[in-house]
């Protein structure tokens, strides 16, 4: 495994990819079990996992929660147009979005709009309040178009490591 810097792409070998694949499927797997699955000694496996964490390849361990089962019934996608393309406007927008727990994902977009948000709320009324309070000029936003998906076909948190 070649690790240079957190900002530089890391060259992963077959064993690294296998470790990541297993951890993507079960982040709670015990090191001894992971080592057995991969075919490494526990100490060698733990060393590789630590190197992947230090390199920023493995960023975090988390629990995936079903939003509907906890009362967050709506997932919406908001296309955002900013008041300008200057660094100050973009930075203001980015910092504001980082602080909003309803914003699950935020992307700066190259295309028709300037940004795309994935927002989760209990209902449409809560989204209306969220939009009127936060998706405004004070956060550098000039226009918002919201899309409501009618069905979730696929949602994955596992990267396709076989593609690299």
């Amino acid at each position: 495994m070649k690790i240079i810097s957190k900002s530089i792409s890391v060259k992963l070998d077959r064993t690294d990819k296998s470790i990541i694949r297993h951890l993507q499927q079960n982040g709670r797997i015990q090191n001894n079990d992971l080592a057995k699955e991969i075919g490494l000694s526990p100490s060698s496996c733990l060393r590789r996992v630590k190197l992947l964490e230090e390199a920023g390849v493995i960023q975090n361990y988390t629990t995936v929660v079903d939003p509907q089962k906890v009362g967050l019934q709506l997932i919406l996608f908001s296309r955002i147009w900013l008041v300008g393309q200057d660094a100050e406007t973009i930075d203001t927008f980015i910092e504001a979005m980082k602080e909003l727990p309803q914003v699950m994902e935020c992307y700066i977009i190259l295309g028709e709009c300037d940004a795309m948000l994935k927002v989760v709320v209990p209902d449409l009324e809560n989204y209306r309040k969220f939009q009127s309070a936060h998706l405004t000029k004070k956060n550098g936003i000039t226009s918002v178009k919201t899309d409501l998906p009618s069905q979730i076909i696929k949602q994955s948190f596992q990267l396709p490591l076989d593609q690299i």
Side-chain angles (χ1 to χ4, degrees):
M1 176 179 0
K2 178 180 167 188
I3 298 176
I4 298 173
S5 164
K6 289 187 178 191
S7 63
I8 296 175
S9 181
V10 175
K11 180 77 173 150
L12 302 174
D13 64 18
R14 183 181 304 147
T15 303
D16 295 326
K17 291 177 185 178
S18 185
I19 288 170
I20 294 167
R21 243 188 317 278
H22 279 81
L23 288 173
Q24 284 185 135
Q25 292 169 359
N26 179 6
R28 295 182 67 181
I29 190 170
Q30 296 294 314
N31 183 61
N32 287 342
D33 296 332
L34 178 60
K36 190 181 294 181
E37 289 285 329
I38 305 300
L40 294 175
S41 70
S43 61
S44 179
C45 183
L46 185 59
R47 181 184 59 79
R48 280 182 172 258
V49 170
K50 293 292 183 202
L51 285 171
L52 290 166
E53 291 170 348
E54 289 170 8
V57 174
I58 297 174
Q59 295 180 347
N60 197 1
Y61 297 90
T62 190
T63 300
V64 178
V65 177
D66 183 333
Q68 291 190 341
K69 291 188 179 174
V70 295
L72 296 167
Q73 303 297 319
L74 282 183
I75 296 172
L76 302 115
F77 295 93
S78 298
R79 291 174 285 139
I80 306 294
W81 284 262
L82 298 175
V83 296
Q85 299 294 318
D86 58 286
E88 184 180 342
T89 299
I90 293 169
D91 289 345
T92 297
F93 170 76
I94 289 170
E95 291 309 310
M97 295 306 105
K98 285 180 179 179
E99 298 300 316
L100 298 171
Q102 299 92 332
V103 176
M104 300 296 295
E105 298 176 36
C106 176
Y107 302 93
I108 299 297
I109 300 293
L110 301 175
E112 182 184 346
C113 63
D114 296 313
M116 175 76 73
L117 306 178
K118 178 181 177 182
V119 178
V120 63
V121 290
D123 54 39
L124 207 48
E125 177 63 16
N126 274 274
Y127 180 74
R128 187 195 62 72
K129 290 176 183 175
F130 167 81
Q131 182 176 347
S132 64
H134 302 291
L135 302 184
T136 63
K137 285 191 179 168
K138 75 176 180 180
N139 289 329
I141 298 169
T142 187
S143 182
V144 178
K145 303 289 184 211
T146 302
D147 297 310
L148 174 63
S150 63
Q151 184 179 10
I152 297 172
I153 305 300
K154 179 179 180 183
Q155 189 174 34
S156 177
F157 302 98
Q158 298 180 23
L159 295 176
L161 297 178
D162 296 334
Q163 303 292 313
I164 57 171

